Structure formats: structure tokens, C-alpha cells
Amino acid sequence: LGRLGSRAELFMNSVHKWLGIPIALVLALGGMPVLAGCAKSLDDNTGASMPLPAGFPADIPLIDGNIISATVRGSDTNQTWFVMVAVPNLDTVSAFDSVLAQLEAGGYHATSQQCELGSCLGALDNGIYIIDVSVSDSYQTAKSAPKVPHVTYEVAPAPAMD
């Protein structure tokens, strides 16, 4: 059994090592869907902001900054939008507080919020849309560039109430 345990342990260490890389990448990108197939990202040559994804609800306020990623996935009747905005002039907590204030002023109610270890997470709802917000300082335009705080919005239709 000791020999079998060693092989199983080696296998699990190998699996964890290989699974850890994509999981770490997804977490570093603020939870953005890496394999969504329709992602756009900031043009590093121009620094220009990306357009919002098709169908993004116009009544959802976004923090001022450059849109560095814009993605939509799902069917026409059940889409989820992902938008990442770089906010270089704010720290993580200030950006999170600003986002919450904007969304609450727009009629959204925070159902959870937490800041810990340099990142902030929140969930908001207005009965029409659910918005998951994360703020982190892990975005870099290049390896030598400083880290820039960014806000990631995940917007999905609220479940229908029966």
C-alpha cells in the first residue's frame, strides 16, 4: 500500500502542478473567461479603450478608465457580459468603493462585498441584472510595466422569479 500511495501521490502532485497553471492564469485575469472565443483586449500600441461588448446594458454605470477587455458569451436571450476597466489613478479599495457607490446610485443593491489581500469582490443585484465585481492590482500592459488596478464586471440577467 505504501508503494501505491507513492504513485498516487506523484500522480496527484503532477495533476495539481498542471491544473494550477491555468487556474492561476484565470485568477490573475480577474476571473475573465480566458477561452470564451470572443474576447477583445486593449491595443497596447495605442492605449485606446475597447468598445463595450454588443448588447451590454446601457444603464449599468462603469468606472472611468480604459476598457482593456470586453467579452460576451451565451445566446442572444441569455448573455453574460465581461468588461475589464483599468483605473491607474486609484488604489484597489478606492476603485471598489467608487464602483459600489456608482452601482448603488444606479439602483443596485450589494448582496455581498469583501476586500482582502489586495483584492475586492462584490455582488450586486437590481432584479434585472446581477453584477459580480472584482478589483485587483494585477493587470500589466507589459512585463516591465507597473501593476495597474483594474475593475472586472460580470453582468448576467437575474434569474426569473416565479
Side-chain angles (χ1 to χ4, degrees), residues 14-113:
S14 176
V15 168
H16 284 128
K17 186 184 298 184
W18 285 105
L19 286 177
I21 294 169
I23 290 169
L25 179 60
V26 169
L27 291 173
L29 293 173
M32 293 298 291
V34 176
L35 300 175
C38 53
K40 297 180 181 181
S41 59
L42 180 69
D43 182 347
D44 289 330
N45 295 326
T46 65
S49 192
M50 298 298 306
L52 288 171
F56 187 84
D59 61 341
I60 295 177
L62 299 177
I63 193 166
D64 288 336
N66 279 339
I67 298 173
I68 54 178
S69 182
T71 305
V72 61
R73 71 173 185 206
S75 66
D76 290 339
T77 58
N78 190 21
Q79 293 184 326
T80 300
W81 299 271
F82 300 88
V83 176
M84 186 186 296
V85 181
V87 287
N89 297 325
L90 294 173
D91 62 79
T92 301
V93 174
S94 297
F96 186 68
D97 289 344
S98 179
V99 167
L100 288 182
Q102 286 178 317
L103 290 169
E104 288 173 342
Y108 289 85
H109 305 283
T111 57
S112 68
Q113 60 189 55

